[in-house]
Amino acid sequence: MKRPTIGDIARRAGVSKAAVSYALNGRPGVSEETRERVSRIAHALGWRANTAALALSAERAGVVGLVVAGPAPWTVVEGIERELAIDGVALQLAIVRDAEAEAETYRDWWAARRVDGVLLLDPRPDDHRIPLLRKLNVPAVLVGAGAPDMSAVLDDPAAECRRAVEHLIERGHSRLGHVKGQGVSRNVHRAEAFRQVTKELLGCEAVEAEGALEATRELLATPDPPSALIYDDDAAAAETVAHAAMLNIHIPTQLAVVAWGDSNVCQLVHPGVTAIHHDDAADGASAARLLLNHLKTGIPEQRTVDPGRLVVRGTT
């Protein structure tokens, strides 16, 4: 027979999977009546916590791992460390050269029992790291994408796209462009949401190009160039502003610029870049808390964080 899941319990109890997790984990957020009903149904279905996630409970390393192949997202790391510290858990950070080194790091950590679980940032579609972690039975939390039976912190790209597009429409723009960044799942989902929102609000999809300054040149050279560009990468947006004279454009009168992420680089150029600001530290803390919960209960959870807020600056 198929092993019962928290989804089965949630359907039988008429509550969300998050409520089931809270009830079985003894966490606040559900009534005692709900907690008792969920426990009875879980017992009746023969549900048991995932033993892979609980296997180290008696010999816990007290360490969570994070591997980064590239620049470390320090604000996210800060949020992760702050949340882990509440439970006395340490963060082990490894910055590696490539995907092969990252995979080897996971194998070494798990074989040596150096970590109890890992956090995986910005997975790609068909990411090789996900089946590897499943094969190793490493408890993990994905940040920026979901996968079946794995904990994850997700964002709401549709809400953010709507805020950005509505702002540009208010500024008189009707022809938008999208400069795409790395092919991580977060960017892929955002691109799809952006297409849907622009089609709904403007009756047409935005034009797209991938890259940075060259992508900007490509879009501006089209017969009907966009009057506003939205960038996945805030550094690419700032680069466009910095090279406006070379591109022979005036910002914002000839071209408006918006970045999906908001970092210090958005304020280092003039005019400052209008951006969607995310609380990266809070997202890191959410991911850490999900992993700590998973290690205690063996129950995977998915949590959607609040949409970022639009910070309007001189580029729009």
Side-chain angles (χ1 to χ4, degrees):
M1 294 178 62
K2 183 175 89 65
R3 179 184 176 186
T5 67
I6 61 171
D8 298 327
I9 300 171
R11 283 190 291 273
R12 182 75 65 87
V15 298
S16 67
K17 289 192 288 186
V20 172
S21 176
Y22 296 154
L24 296 177
N25 191 27
R27 294 168 57 197
V30 296
S31 67
E32 284 303 315
E33 179 184 353
T34 298
R35 196 182 308 278
E36 292 176 5
R37 184 169 78 257
V38 166
S39 296
R40 288 197 304 270
I41 292 171
H43 180 75
L45 291 176
W47 178 88
R48 295 293 183 273
N50 186 339
T51 55
L54 300 174
L56 297 183
S57 58
E59 300 179 6
R60 193 68 58 81
V63 178
V64 164
L66 173 63
V67 184
V68 179
W74 294 117
T75 307
V76 177
V77 172
E78 176 189 352
I80 291 170
E81 284 197 304
R82 185 174 64 238
E83 191 68 21
L84 293 176
I86 296 174
D87 284 31
V89 175
L91 175 67
Q92 178 154 338
L93 175 66
I95 300 178
V96 299
R97 64 184 181 277
D98 54 29
E100 182 178 348
E102 182 174 0
E104 192 60 31
T105 300
Y106 291 134
R107 295 188 186 97
D108 289 346
W109 279 355
W110 196 243
R113 295 294 180 96
R114 292 173 62 185
V115 299
D116 301 325
V118 299
L119 297 155
L120 195 156
L121 304 183
D122 278 327
R124 295 174 175 271
D126 302 320
D127 197 303
H128 72 283
R129 296 173 295 177
I130 294 174
L132 172 63
L133 293 173
R134 282 202 176 106
K135 181 179 179 181
L136 295 173
N137 276 331
V138 182
V141 172
L142 313 181
V143 182
D149 300 321
M150 295 187 78
S151 294
V153 173
L154 308 172
D155 52 15
D156 184 1
E160 295 177 354
C161 290
R162 185 171 295 275
R163 289 179 183 178
V165 173
E166 287 177 345
H167 170 69
L168 290 171
I169 291 174
E170 290 173 359
R171 293 293 195 269
H173 298 281
S174 59
R175 177 71 169 161
L176 308 185
H178 180 199
V179 179
K180 298 190 291 185
Q182 298 180 8
V184 299
S185 295
R186 189 195 303 265
N187 288 346
V188 172
H189 297 155
R190 185 189 294 132
E192 179 58 33
F194 186 50
R195 293 185 198 106
Q196 293 177 359
V197 169
T198 53
K199 191 170 184 179
E200 175 191 342
L201 299 181
L202 293 171
C204 62
E205 294 182 2
V207 291
E208 298 178 341
E210 187 171 347
L213 207 58
E214 287 304 315
T216 302
R217 286 196 184 96
E218 177 184 336
L219 292 173
L220 295 179
T222 57
D224 185 16
S227 63
L229 293 179
I230 297 184
Y231 292 76
D232 284 342
D233 185 354
D234 54 354
E239 185 180 13
T240 294
V241 176
H243 291 83
M246 185 182 71
L247 294 168
N248 197 29
I249 56 172
H250 186 271
I251 296 173
T253 55
Q254 291 178 287
L255 180 70
V257 173
V258 177
W260 287 124
D262 185 22
S263 66
N264 290 337
V265 71
C266 291
Q267 300 179 63
L268 293 177
V269 292
H270 182 76
V273 179
T274 293
I276 300 289
H277 181 83
H278 304 90
D279 191 342
D280 293 332
D283 293 352
S286 293
R289 181 49 53 187
L290 284 186
L291 183 53
L292 292 172
N293 291 344
H294 192 172
L295 292 172
K296 291 175 183 176
T297 68
I299 304 171
E301 296 180 61
Q302 293 195 348
R303 183 175 300 172
T304 300
V305 298
D306 293 334
R309 59 185 176 88
L310 183 69
V311 179
V312 178
R313 300 192 180 98
T315 57
T316 58

